[in-house]
mmCIF file of all heavy atoms in Angstrom:
data_model
loop_
_atom_site.group_PDB
_atom_site.id
_atom_site.type_symbol
_atom_site.label_atom_id
_atom_site.label_comp_id
_atom_site.label_asym_id
_atom_site.label_seq_id
_atom_site.Cartn_x
_atom_site.Cartn_y
_atom_site.Cartn_z
ATOM 1 N N ASP A 19 8.036 -6.523 20.189
ATOM 2 C CA ASP A 19 9.037 -5.761 20.943
ATOM 3 C C ASP A 19 9.525 -4.575 20.101
ATOM 4 O O ASP A 19 10.554 -4.644 19.436
ATOM 5 C CB ASP A 19 10.199 -6.693 21.331
ATOM 6 C CG ASP A 19 11.217 -6.008 22.247
ATOM 7 O OD1 ASP A 19 10.982 -4.853 22.662
ATOM 8 O OD2 ASP A 19 12.251 -6.647 22.534
ATOM 9 N N LEU A 20 8.742 -3.504 20.162
ATOM 10 C CA LEU A 20 9.082 -2.272 19.452
ATOM 11 C C LEU A 20 9.477 -1.249 20.514
ATOM 12 O O LEU A 20 8.683 -0.930 21.399
ATOM 13 C CB LEU A 20 7.871 -1.780 18.653
ATOM 14 C CG LEU A 20 8.104 -0.581 17.732
ATOM 15 C CD1 LEU A 20 8.868 -0.994 16.470
ATOM 16 C CD2 LEU A 20 6.769 0.059 17.334
ATOM 17 N N ARG A 21 10.698 -0.740 20.448
ATOM 18 C CA ARG A 21 11.179 0.167 21.493
ATOM 19 C C ARG A 21 11.464 1.551 20.922
ATOM 20 O O ARG A 21 12.172 1.675 19.920
ATOM 21 C CB ARG A 21 12.482 -0.376 22.107
ATOM 22 C CG ARG A 21 12.327 -1.751 22.721
ATOM 23 C CD ARG A 21 13.656 -2.225 23.301
ATOM 24 N NE ARG A 21 13.664 -3.678 23.383
ATOM 25 C CZ ARG A 21 14.755 -4.423 23.542
ATOM 26 N NH1 ARG A 21 15.948 -3.821 23.638
ATOM 27 N NH2 ARG A 21 14.684 -5.736 23.605
ATOM 28 N N VAL A 22 10.902 2.548 21.586
ATOM 29 C CA VAL A 22 11.242 3.924 21.218
ATOM 30 C C VAL A 22 12.510 4.273 21.969
ATOM 31 O O VAL A 22 12.539 4.263 23.204
ATOM 32 C CB VAL A 22 10.102 4.892 21.568
ATOM 33 C CG1 VAL A 22 10.512 6.319 21.222
ATOM 34 C CG2 VAL A 22 8.826 4.506 20.833
ATOM 35 N N GLU A 23 13.582 4.531 21.238
ATOM 36 C CA GLU A 23 14.879 4.750 21.887
ATOM 37 C C GLU A 23 15.742 5.720 21.092
ATOM 38 O O GLU A 23 15.441 6.048 19.949
ATOM 39 C CB GLU A 23 15.605 3.404 22.078
ATOM 40 C CG GLU A 23 15.791 2.612 20.797
ATOM 41 C CD GLU A 23 16.197 1.152 21.067
ATOM 42 O OE1 GLU A 23 16.070 0.681 22.212
ATOM 43 O OE2 GLU A 23 16.637 0.489 20.122
ATOM 44 N N GLU A 24 16.796 6.159 21.755
ATOM 45 C CA GLU A 24 17.773 7.044 21.109
ATOM 46 C C GLU A 24 18.729 6.200 20.286
ATOM 47 O O GLU A 24 19.310 5.239 20.796
ATOM 48 C CB GLU A 24 18.586 7.792 22.182
ATOM 49 C CG GLU A 24 17.814 8.840 22.962
ATOM 50 C CD GLU A 24 17.737 10.187 22.239
ATOM 51 O OE1 GLU A 24 18.612 10.471 21.403
ATOM 52 O OE2 GLU A 24 16.771 10.934 22.520
ATOM 53 N N VAL A 25 18.878 6.556 19.035
ATOM 54 C CA VAL A 25 19.836 5.869 18.168
ATOM 55 C C VAL A 25 20.629 6.938 17.416
ATOM 56 O O VAL A 25 20.202 8.098 17.359
ATOM 57 C CB VAL A 25 19.131 4.913 17.167
ATOM 58 C CG1 VAL A 25 18.359 3.818 17.895
ATOM 59 C CG2 VAL A 25 18.205 5.691 16.236
ATOM 60 N N PRO A 26 21.759 6.575 16.832
ATOM 61 C CA PRO A 26 22.502 7.579 16.065
ATOM 62 C C PRO A 26 21.709 8.066 14.848
ATOM 63 O O PRO A 26 21.001 7.271 14.219
ATOM 64 C CB PRO A 26 23.758 6.818 15.611
ATOM 65 C CG PRO A 26 23.847 5.618 16.495
ATOM 66 C CD PRO A 26 22.453 5.276 16.899
ATOM 67 N N VAL A 27 21.819 9.324 14.530
ATOM 68 C CA VAL A 27 21.278 9.826 13.267
ATOM 69 C C VAL A 27 22.051 9.132 12.153
ATOM 70 O O VAL A 27 23.280 9.027 12.224
ATOM 71 C CB VAL A 27 21.447 11.363 13.172
ATOM 72 C CG1 VAL A 27 21.077 11.866 11.778
ATOM 73 C CG2 VAL A 27 20.611 12.056 14.234
ATOM 74 N N PRO A 28 21.356 8.602 11.115
ATOM 75 C CA PRO A 28 22.071 7.867 10.073
ATOM 76 C C PRO A 28 23.124 8.741 9.396
ATOM 77 O O PRO A 28 22.867 9.919 9.106
ATOM 78 C CB PRO A 28 20.975 7.476 9.074
ATOM 79 C CG PRO A 28 19.681 7.788 9.704
ATOM 80 C CD PRO A 28 19.903 8.680 10.866
ATOM 81 N N ALA A 29 24.286 8.160 9.164
ATOM 82 C CA ALA A 29 25.326 8.859 8.407
ATOM 83 C C ALA A 29 25.001 8.716 6.926
ATOM 84 O O ALA A 29 24.458 7.699 6.500
ATOM 85 C CB ALA A 29 26.682 8.224 8.709
ATOM 86 N N ILE A 30 25.282 9.744 6.145
ATOM 87 C CA ILE A 30 25.042 9.631 4.700
ATOM 88 C C ILE A 30 26.358 9.700 3.940
ATOM 89 O O ILE A 30 27.289 10.377 4.337
ATOM 90 C CB ILE A 30 24.059 10.699 4.169
ATOM 91 C CG1 ILE A 30 24.573 12.127 4.432
ATOM 92 C CG2 ILE A 30 22.681 10.494 4.763
ATOM 93 C CD1 ILE A 30 23.837 13.181 3.610
#
Side-chain angles (χ1 to χ4, degrees):
D19 186 5
L20 186 75
R21 301 180 203 163
V22 178
E23 56 194 15
E24 290 277 336
V25 299
V27 172
I30 59 165

